[in-house]
Amino acid sequence: MIRLSVPLRHALARLSVPVLIAAAFGTMLLGKADAVLVERTRMALADLLAPLYAVVAEPIGAVRDAVTEVQGLLNLREETARLREENDRLHRWQAAALALEAENALLRRQLTFVPDPAPQFHTARVVADAGGTYAKAVLIATGPYLQVQKGQVALDERGLAGRVTEIGSRSARILLVTDMNSRIPVVLEGSRARAMMVGTNGARPRLQHWPSGMQPQEGDRVVTSAESATFPAGLPVGVVHLGETGWPEVELYARLDRLDLLRIFEFGLAGILPPEAVTRPDPSVRPRH
């Protein structure tokens, strides 16, 4: 080992920083002066180190794959435990459903219950957001072979979407349940309380006119009511959600923001008659006194 005197070591320490700065500036100037030389030098260094990179990368990749596999096994173990718990819960629900089904069949036999006939329906494609007279409405393509009538009920794959209000030769307009002109009689399944679901032009209609002392609760399931024969009873609508103001709203099952196909049902209900169906008195006929 070479021993250096203290003054020499101090001199070398003072010179190291300026030498390194000068070397850095020299390298920068060399790169600016001869870019081709620098590029060749860089690529030669890369070619020299490439085999070393390959040798180092192989065990690193193997370690990474092993860590990923261990994480996958841990996640698989957690997923298996979750699926077992869910399967047990589904078995309990299945047993309860079978018991209710048997009880329901027994009660129907005792009451000589006659089930309602299965409703007829047609599937139509949503072609546009109609707008116009209504703020929340869509147009469906009907064509010459799809007979659609006013008052028929429209549902998507999840729940109630709206009702047919206008028809043409090749299209029909569906008034959505969120439109401010929409008024739908509903029932809260938990308490069997009747209410009116009113559109607000927003994503969630509001509930109004429920019985005194039967305030809708968060999470109550909402279905249609057979009041006024405009809708059949029991169509799924949504669940109660208390808004920021505390007023009960309905979180709809139907995905009205992504409607693609609608099923148009004919339940055979008279409902509210259109103006042209109401018989008006003849002004030329005078009443007898």
Side-chain angles (χ1 to χ4, degrees):
M1 182 176 179
I2 301 175
R3 296 181 177 274
L4 300 177
S5 62
V6 175
L8 183 58
R9 285 202 301 270
H10 284 298
L12 291 176
R14 294 192 194 97
L15 290 176
S16 60
V17 175
V19 170
L20 292 175
I21 294 175
F25 275 104
T27 305
M28 294 172 59
L29 293 176
L30 181 61
K32 294 292 185 180
D34 194 349
V36 177
L37 177 61
V38 173
E39 181 179 355
R40 289 178 178 176
T41 303
R42 185 170 61 250
M43 293 308 300
L45 184 61
D47 293 339
L48 181 63
L49 295 178
L52 180 61
Y53 290 155
V55 172
V56 174
E58 186 173 353
I60 292 177
V63 171
R64 187 187 301 112
D65 293 341
V67 171
T68 303
E69 187 174 355
V70 170
Q71 290 178 348
L73 291 175
L74 294 177
N75 294 335
L76 184 61
R77 185 175 181 179
E78 295 177 358
E79 183 71 12
T80 302
R82 187 185 65 82
L83 289 176
R84 286 179 177 175
E85 181 181 356
E86 184 176 347
N87 192 32
D88 293 339
R89 186 167 61 252
L90 290 176
H91 277 301
R92 291 194 296 270
W93 279 110
Q94 183 185 22
L98 291 175
L100 291 174
E101 183 180 10
E103 181 182 1
N104 193 18
L106 176 62
L107 293 175
R108 289 189 177 193
R109 286 195 301 269
Q110 292 177 351
L111 295 173
T112 318
F113 177 76
V114 179
D116 296 331
Q120 297 180 354
F121 70 92
H122 301 281
T123 302
R125 182 172 296 278
V126 176
V127 294
D129 185 353
T133 307
Y134 304 108
K136 299 294 182 180
V138 294
L139 283 177
I140 59 171
T142 58
Y145 304 106
L146 182 58
Q147 300 298 325
V148 177
Q149 299 178 1
K150 288 184 180 180
Q152 290 181 333
V153 181
L155 294 92
D156 70 352
E157 71 278 6
R158 295 167 61 92
L160 180 65
R163 198 176 186 194
V164 179
T165 55
E166 300 176 10
I167 55 175
S169 59
R170 293 184 176 274
S171 64
R173 177 172 280 108
I174 307 296
L175 177 68
L176 299 180
V177 297
T178 53
D179 189 272
M180 64 182 302
N181 297 291
S182 175
R183 301 289 188 275
I184 299 175
V186 295
V187 173
L188 306 179
E189 276 195 338
S191 61
R192 303 308 299 173
R194 300 181 186 274
M196 184 68 67
M197 188 177 74
V198 179
T200 61
N201 285 349
R204 295 171 179 162
R206 287 189 173 185
L207 291 177
Q208 296 180 359
H209 310 305
W210 57 83
S212 177
M214 304 184 73
Q215 175 77 19
Q217 300 298 319
E218 179 80 25
D220 283 349
R221 190 167 183 264
V222 181
V223 296
T224 56
S225 170
E227 291 286 339
S228 71
T230 54
F231 289 90
L235 293 180
V237 177
V239 294
V240 175
H241 173 74
L242 300 180
E244 297 179 355
T245 60
W247 194 271
E249 301 173 338
V250 179
E251 185 77 34
L252 298 172
Y253 290 138
R255 297 177 178 176
L256 301 185
D257 57 340
R258 57 184 75 177
L259 290 178
D260 185 29
L261 295 174
L262 282 175
R263 294 177 295 167
I264 311 301
F265 283 83
E266 174 55 60
F267 290 100
L269 300 174
I272 301 175
L273 295 177
E276 60 270 15
V278 178
T279 303
R280 293 175 173 81
D282 189 350
S284 61
V285 178
R286 295 182 180 180
R288 295 180 180 180
H289 296 284

